[in-house]
Every structure is written in C-alpha cells, then in structure tokens.
Amino acid sequence: MTRLHVVTGKGGTGKTTVAAALALALAAEGKRTLLVEVEGRQGIAQLFETEALPYEERKIAVAPGGSGEVYALAIDAERALLDYLQMFYKLGSAGRALKKIGAIDFATTIAPGLRDVLLTGKACEAVRRKGRDGRPVYDSVVMDAPPTGRVTRFLNVNDEVAGLARIGPIHNQAQAVMRVLKSQDTAVHLVTLLEEMPVQETVDGVAELREAGLPVGGIVINMVRPRILDAEAVRAAEGHRRTDVAKALSQAGLGGARRGGHAERLVGPLLEQAREHAERLGLEREQRAELAGLGLPAYELEFLGDGGDLAGLYRLAADLRKQGVAEEGS
Amino acid sequence: MTTTVRGSETEDNPGGPAPEASGGPALGGVPLLETDPLVDDPATRIIVCCGSGGVGKTTTAAALGVRAAERGRKAVVLTIDPARRLAQSMGIASLDNTPRQVDGIRGEGRLHAMMLDMKRTFDEIVEAHADPERARAILENPFYQSLSAGFAGTQEYMAMEKLGQLRARDEWDLIIVDTPPSRSALDFLDAPKRLGSFLDGRFIKMLMAPAKIGGRAGLKFLNVGMSMMTGTLDKLMGAQLLRDVQTFVAAMDTMFGGFRTRADATYRLLQAPGTAFLVVAAPERDALREAAYFVERLAAKDMPLAGLVLNRVHGSGAAGLSAERAIAAAENLDESRIVDQMYGQAGTRTPDCGSPTAEGEQDQGQHESAQRAHHEDHADHSEPDHSDHADHGDHTDHPEHADHEGPNHTPYESARSAGEPDAAEVLAAGLLRLHAERMQVIAREQRTRDRFTALHPEVPVAEVAALPGDVHDLAGLRAIGERLAAGGPNPV
C-alpha cells in the first residue's frame, strides 16, 4: 500500500493545491497524514490560511468528518542536516560551529545531491517512524515535490550522490532513501492541465520516472472546466438556427429578435464564445487521449475559480476520495 | 464604463518607473505598456522577461523576439528551458547553446534563438580561462561535475554569464532573455553574488589552508574545533569528497577573480538604461502575487522595470450582459420549455417578471458590447458570493460535466430528441450559460488584477488575450506579438 505520495506537476498546474487536497482525502476516516513541502515557498501555509510553517510538524487541518488529521512540515535542508548530524554524531556545539563557518550552507547548497538526500530522507524518515505502540505515526505522507522537469533528478538521489560521496554515512543514507522511494510504499503522482505543454511535460516526466525505476502513481487532471455546449450544437447554431436562437433569446427576456434588436445582436458574440468553447473541448479531447495512452489511473478535479480557499480545498479532497484515490495501490 | 483614456491618471503617478510607457494611454487608471516603442528604440539593448513558472514567459520572450526582428532589429532570444514545441515553433528542431537563425522572419531584421546549456557554458568558461591541463583537471573533478550540473544557482549564474557573452559579441542589437523557472526567478539577480560569496567563503578558505587559520590565530580551541570538524566532514561526506573539493578549489583558484569581475559587470549591465525588465504573469492569484514580489525586488535592486505583461486574459464581445442576467434568462428558457412539454403547446410566453431585463439596461449593455467586461461597472460583482452562486447553479444543472469519458451528454443533445421546436431554446440556454461562465472568469481575473493594481498602480500593463490553443509556428508567435503590441483589451 502506498504510504509516501509524491506530487509533482508543471508550474502553474496547481500541484501544491492537489497535494494538500490529497493529504486531506487520505486523512479521512480517522487517519493521520503528514503534508511536507521541500522548496521553502510556504505554499501550504497560504493554502490553509495560517502563518508560515516552522521546521516542525504541526497539526494544520482536520479531515472532513472530523476524525482524521493533517499535519504539515516545511522541510529546510539546513535544519535537516543539523538534525541528522545531531542524531548520528551527537555533535552539539560542533554543529553550531560548522554552521558558523558556512559548512552547513556549503553542504546543502553547493552539493545538490546532498541537499536532495536530506529533503527526501526527512520524508522517508516520517514514513518509517513508529510511535510507542509500534504503529506508524503517520498513515501516509504527501510530499509537495519540485516540478515535473526536476522531479526525477530530485528523487533519484542515489545517482546524484554516487559520484560525490562514494562511501560514508551520506552514501548509506542515500541508499536507504532510495530503497523507500523505489518500493511499493511510494507513488509519484503528476498533476496536469488539459493543455498541450503540461500534458507533453507529463508524458515526458512519466517516461523519465519509469526509466529511473521510480514508481508512478496516477495522473491528476486539474482545473477541469465544465462542458456546456458541444461542437455540433455550435454548428447548428451558426447555420439555419441563427434566427431561432435570436427568437429564443428574445423569449428569455433579452430584447428584440429582429435584425438590430438586442437579442439579435447578442447572437454573434455568444456564438463566437461557443466556437472557442468547442475548439477548447476538441483540444481537451486530444490531450485526454494522450494521457490515456500512459495507462495510469487518472483523477479529475474541477476548476475552483476563486476557491483557492479552504472550502474549495475540502471540495477537491472529497472529489479525490469519491474517485477512489484512497484505495489506489492498497 | 468605456475604455477611458485618462492621461491625468498617469501623471498622478510621477514615480512611474517606465519612461517608455508613461506617455501611453491609460486603462481604467492603469497605464498601458506599449511594447512596440520599447523594441523599436535602438537604445533598448536587453529585455529580461521574468515571472513565475507556467505563465507563458518563454512564449512571451519568443513572441517579442519575432516582433522585434520583423520591426527591423537584429535580435537574439536566450531561453532557459523551452518546451520542445516552442523550439519547433521557431523552426528549430532543438535549441542548443549556440544561437541559431530563425527562418521566415519578414523584413530587414533577423532573429536568432538559443537555449542555455548550463554545463556546456560552465565548461566553456573553464576552457577559456585555464590552460589545457588545468582545464582538464577541473572538468574531470567529480565535485566540479556536480557543481556545474546542479548547484542551486548554477543555471541562474550561467544565464547571466551567457547574457554577458552575447552582449560582448555585439552581433545583435537586442537581446531578449527568458529567466530560469526558479522558486523566485529573481534568484537570477542574486546568483552571481551567491556563487561569489561561496567561493570566497570562510569554509572554502579553510578547506584550502586549515593550518593557516588555526595556526595564525594561535588558539588551541580553534585547532581542536578544526580537527573535530574536518574529522566530522570526512566521516560525513567521505574523505574522498573532501579531497575532491580541495583539488577543485585549488584548480579554480586562479579563475575566481574573473568570475566575480564578469558577474559584477553583467549585474551593472542590467541596471543600465539600455535594459528593460518585463514581469510576466497570468491573471491568477499566485502568479500575480509573485509578480508583485518581482516588482518590489526589481525596485529594491534599481533594476529598470518596463511593465507587466499579463497573458491569457479573457474578454467577451457581449460584456454588457452580466452573468446573473444570462443565467436568469437561461432559466426562463428552461422553465418555459418545461411548461411547453407539460401542456404540449408552443404558445406565447411571458418571461419571468422577476428577471432584471429592462430594455434600458439592454440598450446600454449592447452599446458596450465591444468593450471589455471589466470596464463595465463593478456593482455586478460587488456581492462577494455572487459568482459562487452562479457556479453552483451551473454545476447542479450539469452534473454530467465531469463524465468526460462517456458519450456527449450536453443539454443541447439530450433535448434535441425531445423535439425540434425546443432545440433553439436549449441551444440559446446553453449559449447563455457559457456566457455566464465567461463573465465569471472575467470578473475573477479582474479581482485578482485589482489586488495587484492596488499595490502597484504605477506599473504599466499590456494584456494578451487568451488563445484557445497553444502556439505551433512562427505565425502563432507573430499573432501573440501582435496582441502584445496592441496591449489593450481585444474583445474575443
């Protein structure tokens, strides 16, 4: 069963929102999830309308129904390294000295592999952590990961680090992290829109992940807008129905249907919008077919409009649950 | 209510940072960003496009390049990480680290395009500034390989480096730069300093000569601390990594000066009058929040901002018809149809008297139909939950909208079988609901824009109307360039 859900997506597809909705969906029915962010942008805090997250796991939301809970953590590579040094070496003041001369900064910034090991390592540690009762502290962990273009490199820490640290604890840590990331415990989900560039990037991203042996979970099609009219209806309206449409608009109380009447003058602009709508639906159909070719489970989330608010987030979580996201991979 | 040209509003903002655009017409108080004068001005030598990911930044850079070239400039576009399609749209199968000429440019100008290869750029610097033997030692060093491929600021730094190189070649009179999709793209500006401070940092110095620091200070404490620290680092990273770093730093030592000097020169170039920054965004909350942040950072760093390019803006040719009225009218049609079906007659009907459809309003609405919805009065949208309202109504009316895999069940089709006379009414109701959705999108975009404008009323804005599909060819880029140049609302 999937315990670590990694959520990625092209910029602008709403991956942070989807990650948060997924964490809420997985927390329903008395479960506890941890939502982690690794890029220091404090997107989670903004979504949940709270102050900036510290480097500390804290309860951020109650799942729909009230029995489950979502915790959140903004992982900071520097702090993670100090934690790590403390845990394994009981460094104490030497750790602070390292920080003072810039060694921590050095290790976490200039050597990207090391940084990624620390970030993914923290998430994997949360997955494996057990409470006093011997049960996992978190039923699942959801990571708001870097964008699709960088995610394979980010997760494939082993390769990154292999060239740099061939032996030693960092090397071992990378190996341990890789074991979790490549196991059945992990699923990488890709968020996309029904537009060409994000879909292309998703298809490329899936290929890269598969090549690296990382487990791909599902595709989340975000911001799906309602279908109101199809192309056939638009064609009919453009043809012999034009006057009928004007009459109908007039009946609806929108002015005169005669040439130059208010209703009649509405027909042109409304039809133009309908043509665009139909064109978009056609493009969306192509993109859906492209995604279907990946052979992955797909989830669709409606376009929220203004609702980047909490109510919208809970709606998305309910949608994901309805579509069976909590059962997938179990 | 109309597209107002209010010059006085621009004069109200004497601090406006963009001399190119300050004389331009204003839209509802917001000055218009005019890109043609900007690209035509021979004094403009560098245009930097920055913005968050997914807002069409690279497309904007490419479209500006095409526009500038077709207006006679010798332009080069430096992109960082373009989608394959974008390279193809410029007729180049794959962009690489060398500027390639784009075919099909009309007129006297020309356009080159290239994509930054940060590792290649870094390698070239090493090769250019070290003797062959030393260069090879650096290039083969595992630490260098990791640094050049992935240091958090390498891409930004190399973009700056490349910009400096292109400028120095003097083959182009206009360089358009797309910035990396960093967390905050202004890391671009900080990168040279960051790399510099890194390489000059105490830690690196200590790695180079640990004995010197401890010894000269003559402090036993430091010596203890030092050996403990190097011991820890050895344990942590493996002794070999530490050696790699030391070898690398030793080999790079002679190049540090050059790095810093060039970085500083490029930084000053960006502050010079020939440079213009364009902040690119889409009318969405996160993108505009990031845009506001860019504007503030640019000002803090004395970087010359030309304005905001707002991509994917929606408009309507029937902006006078509000979302509520459209939905009320659609409901009228639904109701009358149900009544018809119940009584099997198609007699005269009177619209629901509750619906706000006075002729006077209609008249006014139609008058403005060529204008953008958001220049309409805002009273329509002042109730905070009006759009939610309409939204919910819409969803309950079409629960099947999420069922995309199934056969098409649009209201029009399901009713078509119910009888020909109704078809036009169902179609009209569909057109009205579609219009209501469009008006809600427009209202939402306007609200997010209002937030930005409230913070930065002085920033000139150019709008680019949303296209239904993506750009595939030079003609597509040209079309975007035209919309960009028009800058104002184009009713779609």
Side-chain angles (χ1 to χ4, degrees):
Chain A
M1 157 144 192
T2 306
R3 305 254 335 275
L4 175 60
H5 297 264
V6 178
V7 179
T8 183
K10 182 175 157 54
T13 58
K15 79 183 161 61
T16 303
T17 306
V18 171
L22 181 60
L24 273 175
L26 293 169
E29 293 171 19
K31 298 284 197 328
R32 184 187 291 152
T33 60
L34 176 68
L35 175 60
V36 298
E37 81 182 338
V38 296
E39 293 194 289
R41 48 194 331 161
Q42 290 292 344
I44 294 175
Q46 276 168 17
L47 271 179
F48 285 94
E49 296 163 18
T50 75
E51 63 211 66
L53 293 173
Y55 180 66
E56 155 193 309
E57 291 158 36
R58 69 164 49 167
K59 187 163 146 185
I60 195 167
V62 174
S67 59
E69 15 181 52
V70 176
Y71 280 69
L73 167 70
I75 305 182
D76 173 82
E78 246 183 57
R79 292 285 303 271
L81 179 57
L82 285 172
D83 268 13
Y84 177 83
L85 292 174
Q86 195 55 43
M87 209 186 317
F88 289 91
Y89 297 100
K90 310 267 178 294
L91 269 191
S93 61
R96 282 198 295 277
L98 277 176
K99 189 175 164 68
K100 214 170 159 197
I101 59 162
I104 300 291
D105 194 23
F106 173 84
T108 55
T109 322
I110 206 158
L114 301 187
R115 181 189 179 84
D116 296 350
V117 170
L118 291 164
L119 297 172
T120 49
K122 185 76 192 167
C124 290
E125 182 270 320
V127 170
R128 284 176 301 188
R129 196 188 311 154
K130 295 209 162 61
R132 288 218 182 95
D133 57 359
R135 289 178 29 82
V137 172
Y138 294 107
D139 295 287
S140 39
V141 174
V142 178
M143 181 197 277
D144 177 15
T148 318
R150 283 192 283 132
V151 76
T152 302
R153 201 188 153 102
F154 173 75
L155 294 175
N156 213 5
V157 284
N158 206 16
D159 282 6
E160 280 299 315
V161 167
L164 273 182
R166 271 163 261 166
I167 49 159
I170 292 227
H171 176 81
N172 297 340
Q173 166 81 352
Q175 300 283 358
V177 167
M178 268 339 275
R179 273 196 297 279
V180 175
L181 291 181
K182 291 195 173 175
S183 74
Q184 294 299 309
D185 284 349
T186 301
V188 185
H189 308 292
L190 296 97
V191 184
T192 186
L193 308 179
L194 283 176
E195 290 166 16
E196 279 177 81
M197 281 207 249
V199 166
Q200 187 57 50
E201 202 160 299
T202 302
V203 172
D204 292 348
V206 168
E208 278 173 33
L209 287 164
R210 282 177 172 159
E211 197 182 329
L214 291 159
V216 183
I219 304 290
V220 181
I221 303 175
N222 197 20
M223 305 188 201
V224 175
R225 285 179 293 178
R227 295 206 301 181
I228 294 165
L229 282 174
D230 64 4
E232 208 180 321
V234 176
R235 274 195 298 278
E238 283 175 325
H240 60 285
R241 296 238 162 261
R242 219 185 148 99
T243 32
D244 292 347
V245 171
K247 274 185 204 144
L249 290 174
S250 178
Q251 276 160 20
L254 295 173
R258 281 176 324 234
R259 180 167 289 277
H262 303 120
E264 197 268 343
R265 275 186 288 153
L266 274 176
V267 176
L270 292 189
L271 280 179
E272 179 54 35
Q273 285 172 188
R275 262 194 298 276
E276 283 173 22
H277 181 72
E279 186 181 348
R280 206 192 72 215
L281 289 183
L283 287 169
E284 288 185 356
R285 202 172 305 125
E286 287 166 27
Q287 300 313 315
R288 259 203 196 86
E290 185 95 356
L291 291 171
L294 293 170
L296 293 166
Y299 310 93
E300 299 213 356
L301 294 175
E302 62 174 310
F303 180 56
L304 279 184
D306 271 344
D309 62 358
L310 267 179
L313 204 56
Y314 277 84
R315 213 154 83 213
L316 294 183
D319 271 5
L320 281 173
R321 242 188 124 65
K322 231 185 296 169
Q323 295 176 53
V325 82
E327 290 105 60
E328 200 61 48
S330 55
Chain B
M1 302 295 286
T2 50
T3 310
T4 36
V5 179
R6 284 180 284 185
S8 62
E9 296 256 345
T10 1
E11 285 155 29
D12 284 343
N13 301 303
E20 303 89 346
S22 59
L27 264 178
V30 179
L32 181 69
L33 167 68
E34 292 176 293
T35 50
D36 276 351
L38 181 66
V39 298
D40 288 348
D41 185 352
T44 308
R45 300 297 304 272
I46 296 172
I47 296 178
V48 184
C49 298
C50 50
S52 55
V55 296
K57 192 170 37 170
T58 311
T59 308
T60 298
L64 263 183
V66 172
R67 183 92 186 161
E70 299 201 327
R71 295 176 71 85
R73 300 297 297 265
K74 285 191 283 253
V76 58
V77 177
L78 168 59
T79 75
I80 305 300
D81 187 19
R84 244 178 297 151
R85 259 167 241 273
L86 191 68
Q88 284 161 0
S89 70
M90 289 190 279
I92 298 167
S94 62
L95 291 171
D96 60 13
N97 213 30
T98 314
R100 309 271 173 202
Q101 181 147 9
V102 176
D103 293 327
I105 294 294
R106 297 169 183 165
E108 299 294 299
R110 57 187 162 83
L111 178 67
H112 282 76
M114 64 166 293
M115 180 178 95
L116 179 76
D117 178 337
M118 63 175 170
K119 176 143 182 48
R120 193 65 228 129
T121 306
F122 211 147
D123 289 355
E124 282 166 9
I125 299 171
V126 171
E127 283 159 1
H129 292 89
D131 59 72
E133 199 181 328
R134 188 182 280 246
R136 193 160 41 80
I138 295 174
L139 297 181
E140 282 171 3
N141 185 295
F143 182 76
Y144 167 78
Q145 287 169 0
S146 169
L147 174 73
S148 62
F151 167 48
T154 307
Q155 200 177 37
E156 288 82 355
Y157 179 77
M158 290 305 141
M160 291 283 264
E161 182 74 33
K162 202 75 204 173
L163 172 59
Q165 287 176 13
L166 291 174
R167 186 70 170 76
R169 273 170 70 175
D170 221 25
E171 270 178 57
W172 298 279
D173 56 25
L174 178 64
I175 305 168
I176 298 171
V177 199
D178 167 32
T179 52
S182 330
R183 182 173 70 82
S184 87
L186 283 189
D187 286 353
F188 181 66
L189 299 177
D190 297 333
K193 284 204 170 130
R194 193 141 37 98
L195 190 66
S197 68
F198 232 67
L199 297 175
D200 288 351
R202 285 172 70 187
F203 183 61
I204 297 265
K205 289 217 172 85
M206 196 185 73
L207 284 177
M208 294 300 299
K212 201 163 69 185
I213 298 179
R216 193 179 292 166
L219 291 173
K220 217 169 192 176
F221 162 75
L222 258 185
N223 278 325
V224 174
M226 268 314 302
S227 62
M228 199 172 142
M229 232 141 22
T230 17
T232 308
L233 288 169
D234 272 359
K235 266 194 264 171
L236 186 67
M237 307 198 267
Q240 143 268 329
L241 172 56
L242 215 51
R243 270 199 310 279
D244 284 346
V245 174
Q246 283 170 332
T247 323
F248 167 75
V249 173
M252 292 284 280
D253 202 25
T254 48
M255 291 169 55
F256 286 174
F259 265 105
R260 299 220 65 174
T261 315
R262 284 197 308 283
D264 290 345
T266 312
Y267 194 85
R268 279 195 303 276
L269 196 61
L270 290 177
Q271 290 172 323
T275 300
F277 279 82
L278 290 178
V279 175
V280 186
E284 288 149 18
R285 194 184 48 171
D286 292 351
L288 275 170
R289 186 192 288 141
E290 195 85 339
Y293 172 72
F294 281 126
V295 168
E296 288 149 24
R297 287 285 303 278
L298 287 170
K301 290 181 175 290
D302 294 324
M303 299 285 173
L305 172 71
L308 174 74
V309 173
L310 203 54
N311 282 328
R312 298 184 204 141
V313 176
H314 288 85
S316 172
L321 178 61
S322 74
E324 296 96 325
R325 279 207 320 238
I327 285 180
E331 279 165 2
N332 278 346
L333 287 170
D334 292 349
E335 279 164 25
S336 62
R337 192 159 51 81
I338 291 163
V339 170
D340 283 355
Q341 279 165 357
M342 282 170 72
Y343 298 101
Q345 52 142 25
T348 50
R349 313 173 183 101
T350 32
D352 187 343
C353 357
S355 60
T357 52
E359 281 291 302
E361 275 181 69
Q362 285 303 307
D363 227 320
Q364 193 184 22
Q366 287 306 301
H367 247 22
E368 288 168 7
S369 66
Q371 305 299 333
R372 285 292 307 280
H374 59 251
H375 305 123
E376 212 204 350
D377 75 54
H378 279 241
D380 271 352
H381 312 301
S382 56
E383 304 117 46
D385 54 356
H386 117 260
S387 72
D388 269 4
H389 242 30
D391 214 29
H392 288 312
D394 207 37
H395 287 304
T396 31
D397 283 350
H398 310 290
E400 64 274 57
H401 82 269
D403 177 20
H404 300 282
E405 300 310 309
N408 288 344
H409 281 304
T410 63
Y412 169 70
E413 282 197 311
S414 46
R416 195 166 38 186
S417 51
E420 273 296 302
D422 283 344
E425 292 172 18
V426 176
L427 187 51
L431 289 174
L432 288 167
R433 291 208 158 85
L434 195 59
H435 178 68
E437 196 219 3
R438 171 69 63 96
M439 295 305 289
Q440 284 156 10
V441 168
I442 292 170
R444 191 167 51 236
E445 288 178 354
Q446 187 55 38
R447 280 195 297 276
T448 48
R449 294 183 56 174
D450 285 347
R451 260 174 243 153
F452 177 88
T453 310
L455 285 171
H456 299 288
E458 77 287 357
V459 175
V461 179
E463 295 177 9
V464 181
L467 293 164
D470 276 353
V471 176
H472 290 104
D473 49 21
L474 209 57
L477 287 175
R478 193 176 285 133
I480 292 200
E482 278 159 16
R483 289 176 184 223
L484 185 57
N490 311 313
V492 182

